[in-house]
Amino acid sequence: MRVFRQGASSLAYARRGAGPPLVLLHGLSGSAAWWRRNVPALAQHFCVYTVDLMGFGRSRRQHPLPLREAARLLEAWLEALELRQPRLIGHSMGAHIGLHLAARYPLGALVLVAASALVRDPWWRMSLRLPQAAWHGAWEFLPTLAWDALRAGPRNLYRATQEIIRDDPAELLGHVTCPTLLVWGERDVLVTRPMGERLRASLAHSHLVVIPGAGHNVMYDRAAAFNATVIPFLLNPTEVLKTG
């Protein structure tokens, strides 16, 4: 892992593959490990950067930043690495941050996976759905989920959840001009399909794909279908939107 530092903030990240830059942002309580079923396929076409956001994974010894500040830190990181027109895939909270970043930084393409941008339920109501979400997901993912949640700790999880609920990116959506693919799991009970449909209606250059049988962690639950969906889009986003 490499580390980018700006003031008191730091981001741990790893790089794999060669080609146009592609950044992967995990969701709440996650880490770069959540992409392990996707990176080998993506790295055949792109130089893939997996980031551990502040407060999580190998960046865990810090408090999570407010989502807008997280986007600004990522912008500084992209500029420091001179990554021009990068593609970006964000999952859940990472997709939420990706919207903030896309509104201020030129991206080549954006993939929003179960984006948490429209979640407004209180944290306790969301927590009641976690057992059902686990049931609909891949059982072999549970140890990774538990380990990453333990590393982040309850305080960071609570802070990040509150930030997701408070943040309203509605005014940003008109500023997201890059081609955008929304990917949702058919069985997602945390960030439901109607949220994806509402987000699709608010983004000018976007298309929504629902992956059958997948829960909230779409990229892990149905990795082959996810990879087959996002790779053609990332290679030729404008053409996929035309035909989609």
Side-chain angles (χ1 to χ4, degrees):
M1 295 288 286
R2 308 175 185 206
V3 178
F4 168 76
R5 291 184 173 85
Q6 183 183 62
S9 302
S10 64
L11 289 174
Y13 67 97
R15 185 179 69 186
R16 179 172 172 182
L22 169 62
V23 177
L24 307 183
L25 301 180
H26 62 78
L28 178 67
S29 85
S31 73
W34 290 32
W35 303 102
R36 63 174 176 261
R37 289 186 168 182
N38 316 111
V39 170
L42 294 170
Q44 294 180 33
H45 306 277
F46 306 99
C47 183
V48 181
Y49 294 83
T50 50
V51 178
D52 281 357
L53 295 165
M54 279 187 60
F56 304 98
R58 297 193 182 186
S59 303
R60 64 189 178 277
R61 293 186 179 91
Q62 310 162 85
H63 294 312
L65 289 173
L67 303 187
R68 294 166 193 261
E69 292 182 27
R72 286 194 286 270
L73 179 62
L74 285 165
E75 181 180 7
W77 170 69
L78 291 169
E79 290 177 344
L81 268 61
E82 298 184 346
L83 301 184
R84 307 301 181 201
Q85 295 274 309
R87 287 104 165 134
L88 186 143
I89 305 176
H91 172 246
S92 196
M93 181 186 72
H96 199 153
I97 293 170
L99 276 170
H100 283 285
L101 182 63
R104 55 183 295 125
Y105 192 85
L107 300 180
L110 176 65
V111 180
L112 302 175
V113 187
S116 66
L118 300 181
V119 170
R120 294 296 175 267
D121 287 344
W123 68 268
W124 58 266
R125 186 173 295 167
M126 294 291 291
S127 67
L128 293 176
R129 297 182 193 148
L130 291 176
Q132 188 180 1
W135 178 262
H136 289 319
W139 287 81
E140 62 271 26
F141 182 69
L142 292 180
T144 299
L145 177 63
W147 170 238
D148 279 341
L150 180 65
R151 289 198 293 174
R155 182 173 297 181
N156 277 357
L157 295 178
Y158 177 76
R159 285 172 181 261
T161 301
Q162 291 297 102
E163 179 63 24
I164 288 170
I165 294 167
R166 283 194 300 260
D167 184 79
D168 183 2
E171 78 279 6
L172 299 174
L173 300 181
H175 299 283
V176 179
T177 58
C178 63
T180 303
L181 180 68
L182 294 92
V183 182
W184 244 255
E186 177 189 35
R187 306 172 76 185
D188 192 344
V189 298
L190 295 177
V191 184
T192 58
R193 177 176 176 172
M195 294 183 191
E197 293 169 346
R198 286 165 54 199
L199 203 53
R200 159 66 187 93
S202 301
L203 291 167
H205 308 287
S206 65
H207 177 62
L208 172 65
V209 174
V210 178
I211 295 185
H216 183 60
N217 294 316
V218 190
M219 65 284 185
Y220 196 98
D221 293 346
R222 295 292 185 271
F226 179 86
N227 296 339
T229 298
V230 302
I231 289 173
F233 170 76
L234 293 170
L235 289 172
N236 198 343
T238 304
E239 188 61 31
V240 170
L241 290 187
K242 284 181 182 177
T243 59

